[in-house]
Structures are given as C-alpha cells and as structure tokens.
Amino acid sequence: MALLSVGKSNTEIRDVNTTNMRKILVAAWMVFSTISCHQSTVAERESAAERVKETITQELVQIHQRGYINGFSVAIVNENQLLYATGIGYGNSKTREPYTEQTIQNIGSISKTLIGIALLKAQEMGKLKLDDPINSYLPYAVNNPWFPEIPITIRHLATHTSTMLDSYRYFNQSYVLARDESSSDSMVYRALRNHGVTFKPAAAKIAPEEFLRKMLVPGGEYYGLENFSKYQPGERFEYSNVGATLAAVILEQAVGQSFDEFTTGHILMPLKMDASGWSFDAVSMEHHSRLYLEPELELPLYSLITYPEGGLLTNIHDLGTYLAELIRGYNGDGLILSSDSYQEIFKAQLTGENFAERPLDNPYADDYNYGIFMGFTPTGYIGHSGLEPGVSTYMFFNPKSNTGRVLITNTNFLTSVEGAEEFDAIWNALGKYEHQLNQLLFRPKEGY
C-alpha cells in the first residue's frame, strides 16, 4: 500500500521487483563465479606444485646414483609450512632399507641452535643473563689460564669467543659407543683414528658436567693449556664444541633441570617435534638410520657425552618444523620466544676484528658471523651446518624470501671430493625450486 500511495501501478511494482531480483541473481552469479575461479586457481597451483615436487624428486634420485652418500632426507619450508620433504636412498645399505621422511638420526652441530633458544628462554624466565660470568653458575671455576683475571661470560660461549678450544683431548674422549660391539683393531676404528676421532667403550660415558670438569679445571684428567687459546675472552672467534656444551651445563645449573628436560619441555613439545629427542631411549629406534664414515664403512651406534652440541636425534619433518619456527621468530612472530629474544638470537654479535680470517668463498659458511649460537653466511643466509662421524647436515633460511632448506645425510661427505660434490648437488637442486614452490603453495597464516 505504501508503494501505491506514491503513485506506482501494480505493473510498475512488478517491474521493480523483477529488476531487483535480476540484480540479486547477477550478484550471486558473480560471487559464485569468483569462488569457482579462486578454487580453480588454487587447484591449478597445487597441481603445478605437485609437478615441481616430482621434478625435484627425480633430480635427487639421479644425484643419489653417484653413490657417495647412502641415504638422505631434504625439506623446503616457509614460515608457515613444509613445502616439500622426502627421503632418498638407504637407511641401511646392507638390507636396502629405505631412507624415508620418518628416518631418524643425529644432526650434528645444528643442535647448537637449540642451546641458543634455551638460553634466551631461561633469560626470559629470569634464570640467567647472557652477560653474566659463567662462574656465577658453575659448581667449579673455569678460567682461561693465560688470562685468569678476565671473566668468561655466557655470551662469550654463545658466540664462540670464550677462548675454549676443541683440543685432541675432546675428540678422543667425547664419543662413546652405545654398546661394545667391535674390536678396536677393526677397519672402522682405524679409519676413525685417521680422522682424529676415537670411540670410547660404553662404560666410559659420563655426564657432560663431569666431562667438562675433567677438561677445564686444573688437575682434571683431560686438562691442559692446549684446551685454551692465548686470546682474551671476547677477543677472537674460535669455534668450540666444548664451550657450547659448557653453555648447556650452565643452563642446567640456572634452571634446575637437565638440558634434555628443559629443551624437550620448552622447544620440542611446543613445536610438536614428537619424533625428536636427545637419547636413543627418547626416539623410535625402528626408524633410526645406520651411519657411514664412507659409503662402505658402517659405523657402530654411538652417542656424544657432549650431546647438547651435536646430538639431537630427529627426522626431516621435525627439523623442517623447527626451521619454520626460526623463520617466524626472525620476523617477530615465533612461538617459543618473545620478539625481543629472537632479535637477540638473530643479531650479529661480532665484527671483522673478531676473526683471524673470514670465509668468503662458501655461500653457506656459517662462521662468517654469529648471533647466539646462530650462524650467518657471507651471502646473508642464516642457520647452521653439522658434521659428526657419519653425519653431514645443512639448515639455512633466506631472510629476504622467508624460505629455507634442510639436508640430513647419513654419510660423511668430507671423506672424498666426490662426496662433497654430491652433497652440494643435492643442496643446490633444492635451491633451484625453493622460490617457485613458495610462490605456488604460500598460504598466509590463519589470522593474518
């Protein structure tokens, strides 16, 4: 009735209603078309991504046929997800058991980055400060005998400027058999000795704190002036597994928990790294890879007394998840630490004056500069590498693209030129497709 009162006929009213209905139908069709187009675009991108993944896998299989690395796994990630992951080759070359995405092994010095994360978490909790002297926490005093009056700080340990050195005593005492299973006269032990490494009997395993007491305290069984450099603390970068382990021991003293327990509770569990752990008891040995010093030279099962510096056991999915967290942390959106703590982790702590010589030729030399147990390369990549008997690993991300790569191998690549070339070929094959996969599969984090 209101419409009639302004002078419109019933016919005019029907025409208006019809026009409005047509507008509604057109709008609905446009929305439906947009959604359908978006769904089609997503499907096309995902299909293209699958083709890229197939290409990567084919290239990796071809590279593996060179035969210098028995088994490996790889991942490409961005800050939100694993873009690609696979395993290639063999976890056991005798039985031809495949190396898969679930295969577990230790990852060498990439483990040190978890020491850095743990130190900053403890600092957030008010348990320690990076610039505290280490002797404020230790049950024994540790000083450089050449400069006994200059205190060594936690930051010195975290930036490898503590002046503690990995002498032959470290390499001869820190590796321990999981079980005594081979003669010390066997070929594998001779090969290890040629590389300056000794595997001690299983009964020789002791706690990291006791090991460091023997290494660093006057009168200790492994103590010697060669365990320290003749530079002042904080003056010179000198990579130190001993210093990294001491940082983990200090963390234990500060928080009243073992390093294993603290990092499991504050890093592994929050990130759902359920396949990872610091001991054989903490992981599924069904998925554990054999390790090889050379392609035909299988190593016995061993562990590290200094496990925090190189003994994390994990698989490619868990390590890829960890790298994604580091990328988020770099951008101020990490889960484990506050934005301020991540800024400290990723802040270059050293200058050229701290180095006798800086690596320039290797784009992935992680000792070009250092954050808090975090390496920086000459070309701007951030992350860490790892090398232990039978272990060669890379984990780096590009802060400009927010993408990264991980490579875990069960064979030492440094035992031959060909092995090093195969390792590089694997790594570079991932790099060829890293940006392309990210463009195809990038999804903003929910809530952005």
Side-chain angles (χ1 to χ4, degrees), residues 105-112 170-171 173-178 197-200 202 204-209 211 241-242 244-245 259 278-280 288 291 300-313 387-391:
Q105 65 168 83
N106 63 310
I107 57 170
S109 290
I110 291 175
S111 307
K112 290 182 178 67
Y170 159 79
F171 291 104
Q173 305 296 335
S174 61
Y175 297 101
V176 180
L177 289 170
V197 173
T198 300
F199 280 4
K200 304 296 287 184
K205 188 169 185 177
I206 56 178
E209 182 270 335
F211 175 81
N241 293 294
V242 171
T245 307
F259 180 79
W278 294 100
S279 69
F280 297 130
H288 193 280
L291 302 178
L301 196 64
Y302 72 90
S303 62
L304 288 78
I305 290 176
T306 56
Y307 75 90
E309 56 87 0
L312 181 67
L313 300 158
L387 188 65
E388 297 287 353
V391 176

Side-chain angles (χ1 to χ4, degrees), residues 214-340:
K214 293 184 176 186
M215 285 282 299
L216 301 173
V217 178
E221 184 179 350
Y222 314 139
Y223 184 83
L225 294 179
E226 62 272 22
N227 294 344
F228 299 88
S229 77
K230 294 184 179 181
Y231 292 97
Q232 295 184 31
E235 182 179 357
R236 181 60 59 88
F237 174 90
E238 293 169 301
Y239 191 85
S240 176
N241 293 294
V242 171
T245 307
L246 187 61
V249 169
I250 288 170
L251 175 90
E252 292 180 332
Q253 299 293 320
V255 302
Q257 272 186 298
S258 71
F259 180 79
D260 179 341
E261 292 170 339
F262 187 82
T263 51
T264 298
H266 290 283
I267 302 175
L268 303 185
M269 291 178 64
L271 293 179
K272 296 182 173 57
M273 296 172 64
D274 301 328
S276 304
W278 294 100
S279 69
F280 297 130
D281 292 336
V283 299
S284 171
M285 293 304 290
E286 177 186 356
H287 297 296
H288 193 280
S289 177
R290 299 285 184 162
L291 302 178
Y292 300 86
L293 192 64
E294 299 172 8
E296 302 298 326
L297 204 57
E298 181 181 318
L299 293 170
L301 196 64
Y302 72 90
S303 62
L304 288 78
I305 290 176
T306 56
Y307 75 90
E309 56 87 0
L312 181 67
L313 300 158
T314 190
N315 65 19
I316 197 67
H317 275 274
D318 277 13
L319 194 55
T321 297
Y322 176 66
L323 180 56
E325 165 66 11
L326 294 184
I327 299 173
R328 289 193 298 271
Y330 180 85
N331 290 294
D333 192 36
L335 172 66
I336 302 302
L337 298 176
S338 68
S339 176
D340 287 344

Side-chain angles (χ1 to χ4, degrees), residues 329-370:
Y330 180 85
N331 290 294
D333 192 36
L335 172 66
I336 302 302
L337 298 176
S338 68
S339 176
D340 287 344
S341 291
Y342 268 123
Q343 284 182 21
E344 189 69 37
I345 290 275
F346 292 114
K347 181 174 68 178
Q349 304 280 324
L350 307 177
T351 68
E353 294 180 355
N354 295 115
F355 295 86
E357 185 177 355
R358 302 181 88 175
L360 298 173
D361 296 335
N362 181 356
Y364 300 102
D366 52 12
D367 53 354
Y368 179 79
N369 205 332
Y370 249 77

Side-chain angles (χ1 to χ4, degrees), residues 51-81:
R51 291 193 295 273
V52 172
K53 292 179 184 180
E54 291 174 4
T55 300
I56 301 172
T57 302
Q58 290 171 2
E59 288 195 25
L60 295 177
V61 169
Q62 290 178 345
I63 293 169
H64 175 256
Q65 291 173 356
R66 300 183 187 185
Y68 297 98
I69 294 175
N70 285 334
F72 62 90
S73 57
V74 297
I76 299 173
V77 308
N78 62 22
E79 66 267 41
N80 297 328
Q81 62 183 320

